[in-house]
Amino acid sequence: MDTPVKVKKGAGGRKGGGPKKQSVSRSVKAGLQFPVGRIGRFLKKGRYSQRVGSGAPVYMAAVLEYLAAEVLELAGNAARDNKKKKIIPRHVQLAVRNDEELGKLLTGVTIASGGVLPNINPVLLPKKTNESVAKESKSPSKATKSPKKA
């Protein structure tokens, strides 16, 4: 009275025709936004070593995600300081160069359209003498006018 159970072909090694489980990516398992599988594929295809462990792409994705988040946060702050809503390369440049650790990491990197940090050597600034300091403190509202040329 036993009826033979038909096994469906292409069931992926599973017995029976039950519902297939939804696959969960390694990025979701690790709680990351960066693609763990893609980074693993690049590590293998890049021939950086003969073998790549299963934890290496997860760790690398986590490090890259952290660095990207750090740079974007600082660049967003720089954009907000300049009263802009969009992050432009200038904001990334200001963020990276004003941060000690990121500046050290990206010391040899040129950011296109980033410009340079505003910096004037103190030697080039005009020297204040005692007389000019005394005059400025007495009448700060009056602006000194240059004499007209005859």
Side-chain angles (χ1 to χ4, degrees), residues 110-132:
T110 303
I111 297 174
S113 302
V116 294
L117 284 181
N119 183 27
I120 300 175
N121 198 325
V123 176
L124 300 174
L125 294 174
K127 296 179 182 177
K128 291 195 173 186
T129 59
N130 292 338
E131 295 174 5
S132 64

Side-chain angles (χ1 to χ4, degrees), residues 59-125:
Y59 194 92
M60 192 167 188
V63 170
L64 290 173
E65 184 174 319
Y66 169 76
L67 285 173
E70 191 73 21
V71 169
L72 283 173
E73 181 184 354
L74 293 172
N77 293 344
R80 191 178 63 237
D81 292 344
N82 290 326
K83 297 173 184 159
K84 305 284 187 208
K85 292 190 177 190
K86 221 185 272 187
I87 295 175
I88 59 174
R90 174 71 177 160
H91 301 142
V92 176
Q93 173 83 321
L94 291 173
V96 167
R97 301 303 171 210
N98 285 326
D99 187 72
E100 185 181 335
E101 292 173 341
L102 283 175
K104 192 173 180 182
L105 178 68
L106 302 174
T107 188
V109 174
T110 303
I111 297 174
S113 302
V116 294
L117 284 181
N119 183 27
I120 300 175
N121 198 325
V123 176
L124 300 174
L125 294 174

Side-chain angles (χ1 to χ4, degrees), residues 133-144:
V133 172
K135 287 179 184 177
E136 287 179 6
S137 62
K138 289 181 183 176
S139 58
S141 62
K142 291 183 180 178
T144 56

Side-chain angles (χ1 to χ4, degrees), residues 23-41:
S23 61
V24 180
S25 70
R26 287 188 286 171
S27 297
V28 172
K29 286 180 185 176
L32 298 172
Q33 299 298 315
F34 271 48
V36 173
R38 185 179 300 174
I39 291 173
R41 186 178 76 234

